[in-house]
Amino acid sequence: MRTRLTLSGLLCSVLLVVPLMLLAALTQADEAFDQALEQFAKGKIKNVQQGVTLLSDSEDERVPKVLKHLLEGQLYRNRDTDQVVYITKEGEDLVWVVPVAQDDAEPQSAKDRRVKRVGVNNRLRSMIRTTLAGINLKHPEAEKRAAAIRELLGDLDEDTLAILKKRETVETDEYVSTLIATALALADLDSNDAEKQLAAVHLLYDSLEPDVRIALKQKVDQVTDVKLRKEIEKAIAHIEGQIDFYEKVKTVFFGLSLGSILVLAAIGLAITFGVMGVINMAHGELIMIGAYTTWGVQALFPGSVEYSLLIAVPAAFLVSGVVGIAIERGVIKFLYGRPLETLLATFGVSLVLQQAVRSLFGPLNQSVETPSWMSGLLEINPVFSLTLNRLYIILFCFMVFAVLFVILRKTNLGLQVRAVSQNRAMARSMGVRSEWVDAMTFGLGSGIAGVAGVALSQISNVGPNLGQAYIIDSFMVVVFGGVGNLWGTMVAGLSLGVANKFLEPFSGAVLAKILVLIFIILFIQKKPRGLFPQKGRAAEG
């Protein structure tokens, strides 16, 4: 019984002491932070230096922010209150003051003469950078530590090297360890020891960090040792070869993203043109309606931007599909067999749709917000990164293609569409309601155009003329790939997108489009039915 009481007492003591210890540690950190601000408020360089030393010992989470503002010359003393403040200038006289010690404080305005900058000199700047490096290198996230080392690569001194060497012994992340080794090798490159320099060049041989290439190029002009010079030249050539390779990969990626947009814009047109032989000049406006549907969904659910695309995709498909069926039932069904009249009628419909949207939502472009999971970059290495919105569009294009392929190959609707496209008379004699198939096919193609509008809304503003920018490209893709052929549309769209991106650096964007158009004209002289010709009504016509 006595033992149990003793253990209970010990446990209670621990439960009381631990919070007190944590509270004491937090209080100590706050005291060091407050003392540092008091030193900054005195304004003399020696006091600022003492303040930086105090901050280096403090574990307050505000320390990096304060040091960064001090380094950038944005830390001031308010003459009226002796508070240390952040400053953001607006206009010539007016400044906004935010007290350092209170992150949630309301900004206040003040005149320039009522505040005085906390002064720093070059020695202090070096000290601040070293302190910041030490703090950032202890950050629990590896990405933050890597970013801190990258900032140091171009500005290494003895203090930062000492911090890096200390960090090297405890670092657990492989990529961060590689960056530390790169930084230390850059320092060795400037040493007087030839062996150490040679070892550094070998270590930097595969590095794509921009600072490494700059350092090697500067060094090659200073070196007198023939062997070392050759090794540096070899490393520079190797790095530039890798950069050139990744530049080509980047061009292919941007070409594929452009090609995916072309495929999304053209694939609906390929269905309607291939099955029904209708030259639908209103196809671009159906894309525009899909984009406006995306904007409308975000306007209806402003607090759900992250999930709005999940609603916008089916909504855009339905809205554009219904509009497409209405166009087919109201206009096109009276003009079958008269392609020129169909072209003119759908051109008129496109003008009506543009004006209707302009009257409803105004002539100005609308901005569609991109979800956070589609923003930013996927960094592969220091010279090659992929923009997430374009990467998602490529994946979305393949998903749409796969779904459409399954619909046309595995469903009853797909079977009837293929039957009508290959031989309409035979299909009707077998009991297929060709008029119903026409309406559903036009609705399907229009719905896909609406889905394309959702993708386009993520890379450009939404406006009444959005579809006009893609209608010519869509017809080029359909004609080049082969009318009514899904695989042809996919191959044609992606290849034209990549070709455009490879031509643009040499000829410019406009001339690149003209060259591609000339190529397609020459190509269809040799193969009038495109890359993958298909038998069907269009081919028979």
Side-chain angles (χ1 to χ4, degrees), residues 330-357:
V331 179
I332 294 172
K333 78 170 185 178
F334 302 108
L335 300 171
Y336 283 128
R338 291 184 285 172
L340 183 59
E341 284 88 338
T342 308
L343 186 149
L344 291 173
T346 52
F347 180 66
V349 170
S350 75
L351 296 178
V352 170
L353 290 175
Q354 280 184 44
Q355 188 55 45
V357 168

Side-chain angles (χ1 to χ4, degrees), residues 458-492:
Q458 299 303 305
I459 57 172
S460 64
N461 288 326
V462 176
N465 298 322
L466 173 70
Q468 291 296 304
Y470 294 94
I471 188 68
I472 302 298
D473 289 334
S474 300
F475 276 109
M476 282 168 56
V477 170
V478 172
V479 170
F480 182 52
V483 176
N485 191 302
L486 287 185
W487 285 109
T489 305
M490 172 68 85
V491 173

Side-chain angles (χ1 to χ4, degrees), residues 230-249:
K230 282 185 178 178
E231 289 298 319
I232 294 176
E233 288 174 342
K234 190 176 169 184
I236 292 172
H238 178 70
I239 290 170
E240 289 185 341
Q242 282 188 302
I243 292 172
D244 188 48
F245 169 75
Y246 282 113
E247 284 295 325
K248 288 185 173 61
V249 176

Side-chain angles (χ1 to χ4, degrees), residues 312-461:
V313 171
F317 181 84
L318 288 175
V319 173
S320 296
V322 169
V323 173
I325 291 173
I327 293 172
E328 198 276 338
R329 290 289 89 187
V331 179
I332 294 172
K333 78 170 185 178
F334 302 108
L335 300 171
Y336 283 128
R338 291 184 285 172
L340 183 59
E341 284 88 338
T342 308
L343 186 149
L344 291 173
T346 52
F347 180 66
V349 170
S350 75
L351 296 178
V352 170
L353 290 175
Q354 280 184 44
Q355 188 55 45
V357 168
R358 199 172 282 116
S359 300
L360 283 172
F361 304 112
L364 299 178
N365 287 343
Q366 306 292 342
S367 177
V368 176
E369 196 171 343
T370 303
S372 62
W373 50 271
M374 282 186 72
S375 305
L377 298 171
L378 176 63
E379 188 172 326
I380 309 299
N381 60 47
V383 297
F384 180 50
S385 55
L386 306 176
T387 49
L388 284 178
N389 59 346
R390 290 185 176 275
L391 182 62
Y392 278 112
I393 286 175
I394 294 174
L395 297 175
F396 184 63
C397 170
F398 284 111
M399 285 173 58
V400 171
F401 181 84
V403 171
L404 197 57
F405 188 82
V406 170
I407 289 174
L408 292 179
R409 290 289 172 184
K410 303 293 182 185
T411 64
N412 190 45
L413 173 64
L415 181 65
Q416 294 186 11
V417 167
R418 282 185 287 131
V420 172
S421 72
Q422 289 173 9
N423 193 318
R424 173 176 288 263
M426 181 65 74
R428 294 182 69 172
S429 68
M430 297 297 290
V432 176
R433 295 166 56 199
S434 62
E435 289 190 356
W436 180 83
V437 173
D438 285 339
M440 289 299 104
T441 306
F442 205 90
L444 179 64
S446 303
I448 298 296
V451 169
V454 179
L456 286 176
S457 70
Q458 299 303 305
I459 57 172
S460 64
N461 288 326

Side-chain angles (χ1 to χ4, degrees), residues 490-505:
M490 172 68 85
V491 173
L494 295 181
S495 55
L496 290 182
V498 173
N500 256 304
K501 287 299 173 187
F502 270 99
L503 287 171
E504 280 178 6

Side-chain angles (χ1 to χ4, degrees), residues 291-308:
Y292 265 99
T293 305
T294 312
W295 171 76
V297 169
Q298 286 199 354
L300 284 174
F301 306 102
S304 306
V305 174
E306 299 300 313
Y307 313 103
S308 61

